[in-house]
Amino acid sequence: MHRYPRWPIHLALLATSFVMLVPFYWVLKTSVSGENIFNYPPNIIPRDPHLFYYVDVWYAIPFARYFLNSIIVSAITIAANIVFNAMAGYALTRGFRGKNLVLMLFLSCMMVPFQATIIPAYLITGKLGLLDSYLGLALPQFSTIICIFVFKASFDAVPKSLIDAAKIDGLSEWRIIWKVMMPLAKSAMATNVILSFIWSWNNFLWPLIMTRSADMQTLPLGLARFLSYQEDTTGALYAFCIMVLAPGILLFLLAQKEFIQGLTSGATKG
C-alpha cells in the first residue's frame, strides 16, 4: 500500500491553527497595550505592555462578586447536567414502548430556541420562588438534549453482557448507572462538564431577565455594566474578555482529550 508523506497535512494544520490563534493573540496584545485597534500599520508586538487595564476592570466594577456568581451558577449547572443527563441517557439505551417517539420528541425540541420558551421558564421560576437566586439562574440549564445524547452514545458503547452481569449480581438500575456505567463514561462526563460550563458561563439573556439585584449578576451582565461606566474601553474591554475567557479555555485544555472522546464515543461500539 502506497504511503503518502504526512508533512503537507501537518503543514496545513499548522497554518490553520495559526490563523485561528491570531484573534486570541490580538485580544491578549490589546489588553496589555490598550492601542487603538484601527491603527495602521498594526503593531505585531505590544508597546509598553502593562497590567493597568486588568486592575482597572477589577476595581471599576465588583468583578470578584460577578466572578463568584458565575462560578456558583456554573457549578450548579454542571452537577445537575451530569445527574439528569446520565439518567436520561441510560433510560434511552433501554428498550421500552414509545422509545422512538421520545427520541423524535427530543430531536424536535432541539429546533426550538430558548427565546421561544423564556416566558414559561420565567413564570415557572417565579412560581417556584427562585427569582434572583443561584438556583433560579441555573434552573433552565439543568439538562440539555445534546448532552443527553452524548451520554446515550457512551452508554451504547458498553457491552450489554456487562449490564446483564451487574443485574445477576443483584445491582439495581440506580447502582448500575452510578457504579458501572458512570466510571466507563468519563469522556461523556468531561463533555458534559465543558459544554454545560461554557453555556452557563456565557449566558446573558436569562440572567438579565430574572436577576433583580446587582449582587446576583454574572460576568456577561458585568461586562454590559462596565461598558456603560467607561468611555475609552479599548484596553479595558479586551482585558475583561481575557479574564472571562481564561476559565473556559483552561477547562478545555485540561479535559480536551476526554472531550474529543466523548463526542466520538458513538462511532464504535463494544
Side-chain angles (χ1 to χ4, degrees):
M1 184 176 180
H2 182 68
R3 295 179 60 87
Y4 293 96
R6 290 296 187 92
W7 66 265
I9 299 177
H10 293 165
L11 184 61
L13 292 176
L14 183 63
T16 304
S17 301
F18 175 78
V19 172
M20 296 182 66
L21 289 175
V22 165
F24 291 96
Y25 170 75
W26 211 261
V27 171
L28 180 61
K29 180 184 74 70
T30 309
S31 69
V32 297
S33 64
E35 64 184 30
N36 194 322
I37 60 176
F38 299 106
N39 283 344
Y40 187 84
N43 298 318
I44 303 301
I45 300 177
R47 295 180 178 178
D48 300 326
H50 52 77
L51 299 179
F52 168 77
Y53 295 108
Y54 290 89
V55 178
D56 189 22
V57 170
W58 185 270
Y59 288 104
I61 60 172
F63 184 89
R65 178 67 184 184
Y66 296 154
F67 187 84
L68 178 63
N69 292 341
S70 294
I71 288 290
I72 295 175
V73 173
S74 297
I76 296 174
T77 302
I78 290 172
N81 269 266
I82 291 177
V83 173
F84 295 133
N85 294 340
M87 292 190 296
Y90 178 76
L92 292 177
T93 62
R94 317 308 298 162
F96 58 89
R97 183 177 299 178
K99 176 181 176 180
N100 292 333
L101 180 61
V102 173
L103 291 174
M104 291 179 60
L105 181 62
F106 276 11
L107 292 174
S108 62
C109 288
M110 291 177 65
M111 296 183 291
V112 180
F114 176 70
Q115 290 80 359
T117 61
I118 198 168
I119 293 178
Y122 179 85
L123 295 177
I124 293 173
T125 305
K127 291 293 183 180
L128 295 175
L130 298 178
L131 294 177
D132 206 30
S133 66
Y134 292 124
L135 193 58
L137 283 168
L139 184 61
Q141 296 178 322
F142 266 21
S143 180
T144 51
I145 298 176
I146 294 178
C147 293
I148 290 176
F149 281 112
V150 169
F151 266 117
K152 179 183 181 301
S154 181
F155 292 159
D156 281 334
V158 177
K160 189 176 182 298
S161 58
L162 186 62
I163 302 176
D164 295 336
K167 290 182 178 180
I168 293 174
D169 290 339
L171 269 67
S172 63
E173 297 287 353
W174 292 101
R175 296 186 64 187
I176 289 175
I177 296 175
W178 304 114
K179 299 294 185 180
V180 178
M181 306 299 285
M182 293 300 286
L184 299 175
K186 293 182 179 179
S187 58
M189 291 178 59
T191 305
N192 271 253
V193 169
I194 293 176
L195 292 180
S196 57
F197 175 83
I198 292 176
W199 291 335
S200 175
W201 191 262
N202 296 330
N203 193 8
F204 176 81
L205 182 59
W206 178 248
L208 176 65
I209 292 176
M210 65 87 57
T211 53
R212 294 293 180 269
S213 60
D215 290 339
M216 291 302 300
Q217 292 181 349
T218 55
L219 281 175
L221 298 182
L223 176 59
R225 183 177 180 181
F226 176 75
L227 291 176
S228 66
Y229 287 170
Q230 301 293 322
E231 295 181 1
D232 184 11
T233 59
T234 301
L237 173 62
Y238 280 74
F240 197 114
C241 293
I242 290 294
M243 297 171 73
V244 173
L245 288 174
I249 295 176
L250 179 61
L251 180 63
F252 174 78
L253 292 177
L254 293 175
Q256 60 177 326
K257 181 179 179 181
E258 291 77 10
F259 176 73
I260 296 173
Q261 290 178 350
L263 293 179
T264 60
S265 60
T268 59
K269 185 175 181 179

